[in-house]
Amino acid sequence: MSLPASDAFTEASDTALASHTAGGITWVVNVGTFTVLGASDTVRHNSASTEGAAHDSTNTYNNDQKAQTKMVTRATNPAGPAVRVASGTTQTYYGYYADSTASYLFKNVSGVWTQIGSNGAAGANGSTYALEVSGTTLTPKKDGATADIGAQTSSSISSGYAGICGYGSTSSQIDNFAADNMTVVTKAKPIYQRHTLYVWRSR
Amino acid sequence: MAIRFMLMPLTVTASNTRGPKYLKWRDNPTGMDVQWGMFDMGLQPEAIIAANVTNAQVTTLSGNADVVMVPANIDNTITAGALPTVRDALETLHIPGTWITAGTTTYRELLRMVCGLAQFAQVFHGMFNQLLIPDQINLDQTWGNLPQQWQDNLRACADSLHYDYSQVSASTTVRAILLSLGNQWGNTPFYFGITTL
């Protein structure tokens, strides 16, 4: 699969995320336990009192990247998108997840989990949650707009893969994973630089 | 309510999760319920925090001995009367403080240096999963007397950020090195979510 990546988590029966390949992505679980639920075609984290993260190992991402998921069924424990997820089983990533209480922007660096900003609004079924990282700026977004937590500066993690994250047992169920590199916007040249300028010489 | 900057310890739970000691976060639901953003000092459980607080909340937070509250107007210069307290508070946290000039250095300049040093410490944590200033190193030590591994790690971290450390010699103190690293962030804004510095 090439970018943009996507996964609708379609399965006939409950399947461990690492075994779920129907979406065209090879998922590697860094930490925790994720299950794709056959009855709802969603994914959730399910490991008590444990942080979880998994990444799309199929694609190679630029350092500036974004990941997005849709909240389908919110629960007591959170789930959401992750960026700059380390390869293999290293517990290093930036995450933005939500549950029935609040939403949280955080980093996990070699297993040290740190919340970066104050609690945001509780998760809402049907809403999309995105995390964008560009340079040292993390921007959590809800339904396309910057979330109430706001953009934060963080230098801990410089590269990695897009993925998902969660916490605890029977976490919120999420769907419609989408990820891509951040787009570099090139500004158009001003008009006077777009056309050849002819200068008439006087004789 | 107004945005106030402060230095505050981080609580580290048994699950190795971290958040501001006196503010509400996921694993401290009874903390002060205010909007905040923060930069941790890497693996060191301390952070520079911007919080949207009332005067009463400022008083409450300031009543904690381990909270260093920055004055509301960060464009004021640090007075001669405040300098010893400011300097000692920083140095206790392994943050250079002796460079401050009373009547000249503003709190904004000080905050930007601290924020820049926090970003360097975060990169150091990310690269090596270590404290930037471990217990066996203090700010008065000179480069030539530092453990080789720490020197190598610092160079690698500085190189990753394209920072200049060409002026470092065997007699350069850790204090001077950290001050330089903190200031090399330059003019790039620091985003705290609720405010930008």
Side-chain angles (χ1 to χ4, degrees):
Chain A
M1 170 178 280
S2 58
L3 295 176
S6 64
D7 196 337
F9 301 112
T10 302
E11 285 288 348
S13 60
D14 291 359
T15 305
L17 181 63
S19 301
H20 163 73
T21 56
I25 289 176
T26 299
W27 288 97
V28 172
V29 177
N30 295 65
V31 61
T33 305
F34 290 91
T35 304
V36 177
L37 303 176
S40 55
D41 290 337
T42 59
V43 64
R44 71 178 179 194
H45 184 256
N46 192 20
S47 182
S49 303
T50 304
E51 297 292 336
H55 65 274
D56 164 19
S57 69
T58 306
N59 294 292
T60 300
Y61 289 84
N62 293 342
N63 297 340
D64 295 348
Q65 58 189 242
K66 53 187 176 181
Q68 174 177 295
T69 58
K70 178 181 178 181
M71 173 75 75
V72 175
T73 304
R74 73 178 192 179
T76 303
N77 287 316
V83 294
R84 291 186 181 170
V85 186
S87 62
T89 57
T90 301
Q91 296 182 44
T92 294
Y93 53 96
Y94 288 118
Y96 172 44
Y97 54 29
D99 58 27
S100 56
T101 300
S103 49
Y104 313 91
L105 178 65
F106 64 92
K107 61 182 177 179
N108 196 340
V109 180
S110 298
V112 178
W113 187 100
T114 305
Q115 189 163 329
I116 298 174
S118 50
N119 293 359
N125 290 343
S127 284
T128 58
Y129 292 84
L131 184 56
E132 299 178 355
V133 61
S134 183
T136 55
T137 303
L138 280 168
T139 306
K141 289 189 170 181
K142 179 184 174 185
D143 296 328
T146 300
D148 49 357
I149 298 173
Q152 308 275 348
T153 298
S154 179
S155 300
S156 302
I157 308 167
S158 60
S159 64
Y161 300 84
I164 60 174
C165 58
Y167 172 79
S169 55
T170 56
S171 79
S172 300
Q173 296 177 36
I174 57 177
D175 196 3
N176 295 353
F177 169 80
D180 202 352
N181 293 323
M182 290 293 288
T183 304
V184 176
V185 177
T186 303
K187 292 179 64 176
K189 291 182 179 179
I191 291 179
Y192 64 86
Q193 289 187 355
R194 299 180 198 169
H195 306 286
T196 303
L197 184 63
Y198 291 94
V199 177
W200 296 95
R201 289 178 178 273
S202 59
R203 296 191 179 204
Chain B
M1 300 185 77
I3 304 296
R4 294 292 297 268
F5 290 94
M6 64 201 77
L7 287 169
M8 182 182 294
L10 299 180
T11 295
V12 184
T13 69
S15 304
N16 217 9
T17 63
R18 307 189 309 171
K21 183 176 179 180
Y22 300 105
L23 305 181
K24 181 179 181 178
W25 57 285
R26 190 192 75 177
D27 294 349
N28 185 22
T30 60
M32 185 179 287
D33 191 1
V34 298
Q35 290 181 304
W36 57 267
M38 78 168 193
F39 305 153
D40 56 80
M41 302 298 291
L43 199 53
Q44 181 179 343
E46 189 74 27
I48 176 73
I49 291 173
N52 193 12
V53 289
T54 63
N55 289 336
Q57 289 169 329
V58 169
T59 300
T60 299
L61 291 172
S62 300
N64 298 296
D66 51 3
V67 172
V68 181
M69 187 67 66
V70 177
N73 189 341
I74 63 174
D75 290 309
N76 282 345
T77 58
I78 300 167
T79 64
L83 179 56
T85 302
V86 172
R87 182 186 57 223
D88 292 347
L90 294 174
E91 296 265 326
T92 299
L93 298 173
H94 305 303
I95 300 171
T98 58
W99 60 280
I100 300 169
T101 303
T104 301
T105 308
T106 65
Y107 284 98
R108 183 183 295 276
E109 291 171 325
L110 168 59
L111 283 170
R112 285 197 59 84
M113 187 284 290
V114 174
C115 289
L117 185 58
Q119 298 305 317
F120 187 89
Q122 290 182 15
V123 176
F124 197 89
H125 176 202
M127 291 179 70
F128 305 110
N129 198 23
Q130 294 178 4
L131 289 165
L132 177 59
I133 304 297
D135 290 339
Q136 64 266 36
I137 294 177
N138 63 66
L139 298 183
D140 293 319
Q141 281 180 270
T142 54
W143 178 258
N145 293 319
L146 294 170
Q148 185 62 51
Q149 188 61 60
W150 192 83
Q151 291 185 4
D152 293 342
N153 289 350
L154 195 82
R155 283 198 201 93
C157 188
D159 286 340
S160 75
L161 293 167
H162 306 289
Y163 281 6
D164 177 17
Y165 53 89
S166 59
Q167 299 303 309
V168 174
S169 68
S171 61
T172 307
T173 63
V174 171
R175 180 179 288 102
I177 294 169
L178 295 183
L179 177 62
S180 171
L181 295 173
N183 284 328
Q184 289 195 53
W185 183 266
N187 296 322
T188 303
F190 292 105
Y191 300 107
F192 282 87
I194 56 173
T195 193
T196 300
L197 179 65

